[in-house]
């Protein structure tokens, strides 16, 4: 790739460098503007905080209990970031932001020598500014990092399969990236790219299949690299935890997750067929020319490989018992590559650079404006929200004027960029995508974060201050009572177990459920009743009320 870049004209290299910097802004700007979202961000972040507090970098816990949900790499990276920049939202999300930026650059670097600069820029822009990637790329979870390793592995496997250049080196680099993926989220990092390559070889004929299998299985160095990266931590975890690790990680969070619906995350067979166009917004219209050219794409070796990659993810996870939105993004890299190529062809076609650019740019401007309009409508019609907690959270006082200004900036900015004749059409299209993405990440997402999570952040910070200033009874702490909002522990800088309160505890609960929770507590048999609950309702000292949440100190029975 370095040799290819060196041979390109200086203006082309300069354009790609400016594009890469713009994508960096999309991936990294404003990472700390929104509070941590529960449940996933809160759980990953609290596990990272506990790792740092304990000094045990080989194992993760959540509120003191073993956490076997994911392997260790994302926690290591988040912990390193927190040590450098402090315990805050931006530091916790930085590994995901950097991974997303690298993911965009990897896609562009793959497309550039094959389809040209225009397709490379557009493919990277489609990837990095789509709704689904914007969301996981700014979340303190493992998903953006996993998608980087999936993309790097599968793209290196293609470089190996096409047999040009350093094919053996490409296979060994794929082994490295795959090992890091397994260390990030488990077997799925091997399953997705491995299935894509095997399916492509199978559809390419027996001779191709036999030759490639010999190359894959016969490279001992590639397998050694994979094993050296992926296996040591798994061996350590198995030695340390035994069957608890097997049951918790391998069985529950892999096999059982596929075979059944965990934690209520189910869906129909068409779940991802419907979801993919939504996660691709505002670039969804590009699916039309992509589908129209499906047969022609299938006849190309690379096109067939990308279609099989995306198709495998769509079909395999459609049959999964547990369905989460980000699963379909494991196959989004090939969709973005093909969509970027179709966008480049569209702009190159007769009239495409005139009306095609304006049509898609209009959709880019409409997307944040529509998101703002929907947000405002929900905020002004909270009475229709059935869930009392969300009705209270979204109904908190909030300024909508800044959101309207952000939507106006998006419309004006995109209109100006589209008519900036000095830039090539692909650069204007990419710049419009950047404007759209920044409006979403700097205005819309933070607004929702403040509405939904600011009370949890405030409760955690208030609890930390109260427990630091007073001398609570021995063992008194902050608890989550009838809730699962792990980010409160991050903001409180202490574990916040999920259990009923005991005398002296601070308890975070839903305000509309306090009486029923207290009645349940008092009704427990004497042997199961916490100390201080003698069958009568305890007395409470409210410390904070905000957005349907209440932070209480339990003073015991009256």
């Amino acid at each position: 790739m370095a040799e290819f870049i060196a041979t390109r004209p200086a203006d082309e290299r300069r354009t790609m460098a400016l594009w890469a910097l713009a994508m960096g802004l999309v991936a990294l700007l404003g990472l700390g503007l929104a509070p941590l979202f529960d449940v996933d961000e809160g759980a990953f972040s609290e596990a990272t905080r506990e790792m740092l507090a304990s000094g045990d970098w080989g194992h993760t816990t959540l509120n003191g209990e073993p956490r076997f949900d994911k392997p260790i790499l994302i926690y290591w990276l988040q912990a390193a970031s927190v040590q450098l920049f402090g315990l805050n939202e931006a530091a916790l999300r930085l590994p995901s932001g950097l991974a997303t930026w690298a993911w965009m650059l990897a896609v562009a670097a793959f497309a550039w020598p094959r389809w040209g600069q225009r397709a490379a820029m557009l493919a990277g822009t489609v990837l990095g500014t789509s709704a689904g990637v914007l969301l996981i790329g700014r979340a303190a979870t493992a998903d953006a990092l996993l998608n980087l390793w999936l993309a790097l592995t599968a793209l290196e496997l293609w470089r190996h399969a096409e047999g040009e250049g350093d094919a053996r080196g490409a296979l060994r680099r794929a082994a490295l990236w795959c090992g890091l993926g397994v260390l990030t989220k488990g077997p799925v990092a091997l399953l997705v790219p491995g299935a894509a390559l095997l399916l492509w070889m199978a559809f390419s004929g027996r001779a191709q299949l036999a030759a490639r299998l010999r190359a894959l299985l016969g490279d001992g160095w590639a397998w050694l690299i994979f094993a050296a990266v992926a296996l040591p931590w798994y061996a350590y975890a198995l030695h340390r935890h035994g069957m608890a690790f097997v049951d918790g990680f391998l069985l529950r969070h892999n096999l059982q997750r596929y075979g059944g619906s965990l934690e209520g995350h189910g869906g129909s067979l068409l779940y991802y067929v419907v979801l993919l166009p939504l996660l691709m917004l505002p670039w969804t219209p590009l699916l039309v020319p992509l589908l129209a050219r499906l047969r022609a794409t299938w006849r190309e070796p690379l096109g067939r490989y990308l279609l099989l990659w995306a198709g495998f993810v769509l079909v395999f996870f459609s049959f999964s018992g547990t369905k989460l939105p980000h699963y379909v993004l494991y196959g989004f890299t090939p969709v973005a590559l093909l969509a970027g190529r179709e966008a480049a062809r569209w702009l190159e076609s007769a009239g495409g650079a005139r009306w095609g650019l304006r049509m898609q740019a209009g959709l880019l401007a409409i997307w944040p404006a529509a998101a703002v309009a929907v947000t405002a409508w929900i905020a002004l019609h909270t009475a229709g929200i059935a869930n009392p907690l969300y009705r209270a959270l979204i109904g908190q006082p909030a300024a909508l004027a800044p959101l309207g200004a952000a939507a106006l900036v998006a419309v004006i900015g995109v209109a100006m960029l589209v008519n900036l004749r000095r830039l090539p059409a692909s650069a204007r299209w990419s710049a419009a995508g950047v404007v759209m993405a920044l409006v979403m990440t700097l205005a819309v997402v933070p607004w929702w974060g403040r509405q939904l999570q600011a009370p949890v952040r405030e409760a955690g910070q208030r609890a930390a201050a109260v427990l630091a200033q007073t001398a609570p009874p021995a063992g008194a702490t902050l608890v989550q009572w009838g809730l699962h909002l792990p980010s409160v522990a991050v903001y409180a800088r202490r574990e916040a177990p999920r259990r009923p309160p005991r005398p002296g505890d601070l308890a975070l609960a839903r305000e509309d459920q306090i009486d029923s929770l207290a009645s349940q507590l008092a009704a427990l048999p004497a042997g199961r009743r916490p100390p201080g609950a003698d069958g009568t309702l305890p007395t409470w000292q409210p410390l904070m009320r905000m957005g349907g949440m209440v932070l209480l100190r339990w003073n015991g029975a009256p």
Side-chain angles (χ1 to χ4, degrees), residues 75-139:
Y75 301 106
W76 285 345
L77 296 179
Q78 288 183 348
S81 179
V82 167
Q83 284 197 316
L84 286 173
F85 304 110
L87 183 61
N88 55 68
E89 295 92 346
L92 289 162
R93 291 168 177 151
L94 183 60
S96 292
L98 291 173
T100 304
W101 190 18
W103 185 12
M104 295 184 238
L105 299 181
V107 164
F110 182 83
W112 193 5
R114 290 166 177 81
W115 301 331
Q117 180 198 34
R118 177 175 289 180
M121 287 176 56
L122 291 170
T125 302
V126 168
L127 178 83
T129 60
S130 291
V133 176
L134 282 176
L135 291 175
I136 68 164
R138 311 179 75 79

Side-chain angles (χ1 to χ4, degrees), residues 197-526:
L197 183 62
L198 288 174
L199 286 170
W200 177 81
M201 291 189 298
F203 278 98
S204 299
R206 292 184 178 180
Q208 182 72 259
L209 177 61
R212 291 301 170 195
L213 279 177
R214 284 195 298 271
L216 286 171
L217 299 176
D219 195 321
W221 277 106
W223 288 104
L224 181 62
I225 291 169
F226 171 80
V229 172
L231 297 186
W233 178 81
Y234 281 89
Y236 168 77
L238 184 61
H239 171 75
R240 177 171 174 173
H241 302 289
M243 284 305 299
F245 175 71
V246 174
D247 292 339
F249 175 72
L250 295 176
L251 297 182
R252 174 174 169 78
H253 287 286
N254 283 276
L255 296 181
Q256 290 180 22
R257 185 175 290 272
Y258 189 82
S261 176
L262 286 188
E263 300 167 349
H265 298 300
S268 72
L269 280 175
L270 296 179
Y271 180 87
Y272 291 117
V273 175
V274 174
L275 188 65
L276 177 60
L278 297 177
L279 294 180
M280 194 175 172
L281 284 170
W283 304 101
T284 308
L286 292 175
L287 288 174
V288 175
L290 194 159
L291 292 173
R293 286 182 47 82
L294 209 57
R295 287 187 178 181
T297 303
W298 178 263
R299 289 193 292 267
E300 306 166 3
L302 175 55
R304 185 162 58 250
Y305 177 73
L306 295 175
L307 290 175
L308 287 169
W309 176 1
F312 171 77
V313 170
L314 187 64
V315 172
F316 181 83
F317 287 99
S318 291
F319 283 95
S320 173
T322 300
K323 290 182 173 65
L324 289 168
H326 59 264
Y327 290 173
V328 76
L329 295 178
Y330 302 161
F332 191 60
T333 297
V335 174
L337 280 163
L338 292 172
R341 184 173 69 165
E342 294 307 320
R345 284 176 171 162
W346 193 9
L347 294 179
E348 290 166 0
S349 66
R354 293 193 298 272
W355 66 269
L357 176 64
R358 285 176 170 76
M359 187 180 77
Q360 182 64 53
L363 292 169
L364 288 170
I366 289 171
W367 161 235
V372 168
V374 170
T375 296
W377 189 91
I378 294 173
L380 295 172
H381 295 81
T382 54
I385 299 175
N387 187 299
L389 177 60
Y390 286 105
R391 185 166 61 243
L393 288 169
I394 299 172
Q396 296 177 91
L400 292 172
L403 285 181
L408 185 62
V409 167
V411 173
I412 295 174
V414 170
M416 292 176 60
L417 287 166
V418 168
N419 290 286
L420 195 61
R421 299 290 184 180
R422 288 175 294 179
L423 287 178
S426 56
R428 283 183 272 163
W429 212 350
S430 294
V434 169
V435 170
M436 175 278 302
L438 291 178
V439 170
M440 295 295 296
T441 57
L442 300 183
V444 178
V445 172
W447 189 93
W448 279 103
R450 288 189 293 271
Q451 293 303 108
L452 297 177
Q453 294 293 143
V456 184
R457 177 173 62 185
E458 177 66 21
Q461 293 171 345
R462 183 74 61 86
V466 170
L467 292 172
Q469 292 171 2
T470 61
T477 187
L478 169 67
V479 301
Q480 301 177 69
W481 193 17
L483 290 173
H484 184 32
L485 300 169
S487 69
V488 72
V490 181
Y491 293 116
R493 304 296 199 267
R494 66 185 63 233
E495 296 173 10
R498 298 172 63 194
R499 61 168 174 80
R502 298 166 184 159
D505 278 348
L506 305 186
L508 178 65
R510 286 175 53 165
E511 192 165 11
D512 64 309
Q513 293 182 342
I514 290 297
D515 290 341
S516 63
L517 288 169
S519 297
Q520 293 170 22
L521 187 66
L524 287 173

Side-chain angles (χ1 to χ4, degrees), residues 19-61:
W19 172 84
L21 290 174
M23 292 299 105
L25 289 178
V26 170
L28 301 174
L29 196 61
L31 285 176
L33 289 180
L36 297 170
F37 285 89
D38 284 308
V39 172
D40 287 351
E41 271 202 301
F44 274 90
S45 300
E46 173 57 13
T48 294
R49 189 201 66 79
E50 291 180 27
M51 174 188 287
L52 286 168
S54 68
D56 183 355
W57 286 58
H59 173 55
T60 54
T61 60

